[in-house]
Amino acid sequence: MSATPLSSAPRLTRRQGLAALGLIGPVGLLAACSSDDEATPTATIGTDPEPVSPDATVAAEEALLIAHYDAVIETLPEAQSDTRDALAALRDQHVAHREALGGGGEPLLDDLPESPTIATLSAAEKAASKSRIRSCVDASDPDLARTLAFIAASEASHVPALKDLA
Amino acid sequence: MTPTEAWSAVVAGEDAAIYAYSVAGGRVSGGDRRRALSGLEAHRRRRSRAAAIVTAAGGTPPAGSPAYELPDNVDRARAARRVMADVDVALVPLYADAAAMSTAEDRRWAARCAADSATSAVAWGQEPQAFPTPRT
């Protein structure tokens, strides 16, 4: 009855497999610098005398998402341990995001919804993914842009995962 | 890695996805079939736009392979869903690289495609990941 577990994930092409594995491969810093200088966004955040780096801003947003998950998990009875565990697994991915951004950043806990639910989490994930895409476009460092694209992808993918839990 | 290399890898990945969706999409039914068909269209559009970016940068987009290796049991619906999830998640790092190697609108589009690909992979049943990458 059990389907063959496909222990070896399909390698669609050798080239494709290799390319996909090269995600943390060498960063073409020179190429990146020379490619499109005039189009590089100038990452100025208003006239703030002490501009917050995108990492710290996003790290704070990640911290808020973590608090949001904690709040929702707290509302669930022990009996719903499967849902709690699944939410905790998604929460931990935000911990990984925050760490990848260097940690730091204080969450604005006032921004948490009054009655946090899986639905409010889902909305927060959608908004977070869009925000990461904006930060990605504004990033002056290609590595940061790559990291933010990954985080945007992860957060967008949490939405269908949350739908299964609702 | 140059921008052209990054976008060429996207073209190759989208080619593989088009092939996989064409085959596996025929093995699912109902809502999954509809999603596979719209996914196939999306992959074709993205391949076309990525190829245009390569061309605009003075490169030559890679030609697709006539066929790709798929697991033997792709005719089972569950395995078919898994194949589509796998090609989708494999695109995420390719688009993340393309985002890193691009600026402005191309970068925005790359990041959006990374998000759409990861979302689709999870909708096909893959576990969400903090940094979506293919299973090895």
Side-chain angles (χ1 to χ4, degrees), chain A residues 39 137, chain B residues 7 49 53 102-112:
Chain A
V137 174
Chain B
W7 283 108
R49 181 160 170 181
I53 292 173
S102 308
T103 55
E105 275 315 301
D106 285 350
R107 181 184 280 180
R108 184 188 313 280
W109 185 65
R112 260 197 216 129

Side-chain angles (χ1 to χ4, degrees), chain A residues 64-139:
Chain A
L64 185 65
L65 282 166
I66 293 163
H68 199 157
Y69 271 91
D70 285 339
V72 174
I73 291 168
E74 217 168 272
T75 65
L76 295 175
E78 292 289 341
Q80 289 189 38
S81 62
D82 286 355
T83 307
R84 291 171 66 109
D85 290 351
L87 290 173
L90 295 177
R91 172 203 183 275
D92 289 349
Q93 295 187 6
H94 292 291
V95 174
H97 297 162
R98 191 179 183 208
E99 280 169 6
L101 295 161
E106 285 303 312
L108 299 167
L109 292 174
D110 289 349
D111 290 349
L112 280 181
E114 224 149 87
S115 314
T117 62
I118 288 177
T120 63
L121 269 181
S122 183
E125 293 277 18
K126 266 184 212 164
S129 179
K130 284 185 182 157
S131 171
R132 296 309 165 264
I133 291 172
R134 282 193 296 273
S135 301
C136 172
V137 174
D138 290 342

Side-chain angles (χ1 to χ4, degrees), chain B residues 9-103:
Chain B
V10 167
V11 172
E14 289 291 5
D15 264 327
I18 290 165
Y19 181 82
Y21 266 70
S22 304
V23 176
R27 310 292 200 269
V28 294
S29 56
D32 282 351
R33 171 71 66 88
R34 284 190 291 279
R35 194 144 58 78
L37 285 175
S38 69
L40 177 60
E41 278 314 301
H43 284 301
R44 284 186 176 137
R45 279 197 305 274
R46 289 183 205 143
R47 189 219 179 269
S48 169
R49 181 160 170 181
I53 292 173
V54 173
T55 306
T60 306
S65 301
Y68 296 83
E69 264 179 67
L70 293 176
D72 305 340
N73 56 354
V74 68
D75 55 328
R76 299 179 65 146
R78 189 168 141 189
R81 282 194 291 275
R82 182 158 176 164
V83 164
M84 291 186 276
D86 283 331
V87 287
D88 282 331
V89 79
L91 282 163
V92 178
L94 303 182
Y95 276 115
D97 277 343
M101 294 293 106
S102 308
T103 55

